[in-house]
Amino acid sequence: MLLENKVAIITGAGRGIGKSIALKLASEGCAIAFTDVALTDEVEKTRQEVETLGVVCKAYVSNAADFEQAHQVVEQVIKDFGHLDILVNNAGITRDTLLLRMTEQQWDDVIAVNLKSVFNFIHAVTPIFMRQHAGSIISMSSIVGLQGNAGQSNYAASKAGIIALTKSAAKELGARGIRVNAIAPGFIVSDMTNQIPEDIRNEYMKQIPLRRGGTTEEVANVALFLASDLASYVSGQVIQVDGALA
Ligand code: NAI
């Protein structure tokens, strides 16, 4: 058990990559607190699946883009679980369109949910992690944040921002025993990528050297590594999980 007696908070884990990370960390003994925008049947199903693995799992309604809500939910998790060891910033959205057609709202929404949320949660957990002189922070970037992508300038900017934030936080917080890393997935099969028209998806597949989309579990495996002591000397890094696409 790599994460026995540990507690993780994962944002936006009702489905997709976040859900797989919750299941993966739980399978190594980690208690799970996760957030999503609403307590839907899907969210409750995720909570039950995680609990089936023999750990405590609680779901919280919280908009990751909201500074106050992020702080409130972290405070509540400390009340409910007693301590906190791992933060996974996973919540993310897309509002894809070409730059000239992009509305201010589309820009602001993506920056708020994808990038500001990471600041919100790092800000909320840092005093806790500093006191215990330990903690692992993992944020979900994207290869689009490394390369850019036509039609995703808002999303790409948010994901590039996460990389800069990760590297800066790793430098600031390293002396306090806190590790900060990012994961940059490529094309992962999930509800988010299922929105992409099938012909465009098929084109992507041809460009991926491993010739397939990744699974959410393949991203979760890397999150487990970064969350655990296996990565005790790994900080300030961006690990690509992309089948050699980028
Ligand atoms: P998804 O759309 O399946 O799941 C995202 C989850 O975040 C949903 O449960 C959603 O309700 C929740 N969420 C959205 N806004 C929120 C908010 N304001 N506060 C709290 N929760 C919120 O997406 P997927 O594919 O699982 O992506 C997870 C993360 O991985 C995202 O940050 C995404 O940008 C990133 N990513 C995904 C890739 C892919 O190919 N699927 C590739 C690269 C990065």
Side-chain angles (χ1 to χ4, degrees):
M1 288 284 184
L2 287 170
L3 299 176
E4 205 152 24
N5 300 323
K6 303 280 187 197
V7 179
I9 183 166
I10 309 169
T11 64
R15 67 178 193 208
I17 292 172
K19 175 180 179 176
S20 284
I21 293 173
L23 289 166
K24 185 61 66 176
L25 302 192
S27 73
E28 292 291 335
C30 190
I32 303 292
F34 77 90
T35 72
D36 216 307
V37 282
L39 270 190
T40 58
D41 289 349
E42 187 177 41
V43 165
E44 176 53 19
K45 192 167 163 273
T46 297
R47 198 195 63 71
Q48 286 173 9
E49 275 180 54
V50 174
E51 221 170 40
T52 308
L53 296 169
V55 299
V56 178
C57 178
K58 285 185 185 290
Y60 301 84
V61 174
S62 172
N63 175 6
D66 186 295
F67 186 81
E68 289 303 326
Q69 287 186 34
H71 284 72
Q72 279 163 9
V73 76
V74 167
E75 209 174 292
Q76 190 60 47
V77 168
I78 292 292
K79 279 191 192 140
D80 293 345
F81 289 81
H83 65 113
L84 185 62
D85 308 281
I86 297 153
L87 163 66
V88 183
N89 290 304
N90 167 78
I93 57 168
T94 52
R95 296 287 182 268
D96 297 352
T97 189
L98 296 173
L99 256 178
L100 278 179
R101 290 201 195 124
M102 190 173 291
T103 62
E104 186 182 6
Q105 193 68 49
Q106 286 170 323
W107 174 269
D108 287 347
D109 286 350
V110 168
I111 298 298
V113 175
N114 295 9
L115 178 58
K116 188 177 175 223
S117 65
V118 178
F119 164 71
N120 293 343
F121 274 89
I122 291 180
H123 193 272
V125 304
T126 293
I128 299 160
F129 287 2
M130 277 167 82
R131 275 198 296 277
Q132 63 201 25
H133 209 81
S136 175
I137 298 171
I138 301 157
S139 302
M140 214 48 69
S141 179
S142 164
I143 58 161
V144 165
L146 295 165
Q147 296 191 317
N149 197 22
Q152 286 199 305
S153 54
N154 50 359
Y155 184 81
S158 73
K159 296 301 185 181
I162 288 176
I163 293 171
L165 175 52
T166 295
K167 288 181 178 287
S168 304
K171 287 187 160 79
E172 267 188 43
L173 304 176
R176 306 301 192 118
I178 303 168
R179 296 185 297 102
V180 193
N181 292 288
I183 299 175
F187 188 99
I188 306 300
V189 179
S190 77
D191 288 339
M192 184 179 271
T193 47
N194 285 341
Q195 291 169 24
I196 301 168
E198 201 179 345
D199 52 330
I200 299 177
R201 264 189 280 153
N202 292 338
E203 272 312 303
Y204 271 127
M205 295 304 161
K206 287 184 202 153
Q207 291 165 31
I208 301 170
L210 286 184
R211 291 290 183 274
R212 63 175 178 85
T215 65
T216 55
E217 191 180 4
E218 287 171 314
V219 180
N221 286 334
V222 177
L224 170 63
F225 164 70
L226 290 172
S228 77
D229 285 345
L230 289 177
S232 52
Y233 202 55
V234 180
S235 192
Q237 301 306 303
V238 183
I239 301 187
Q240 291 173 225
V241 183
D242 67 356
L245 177 60

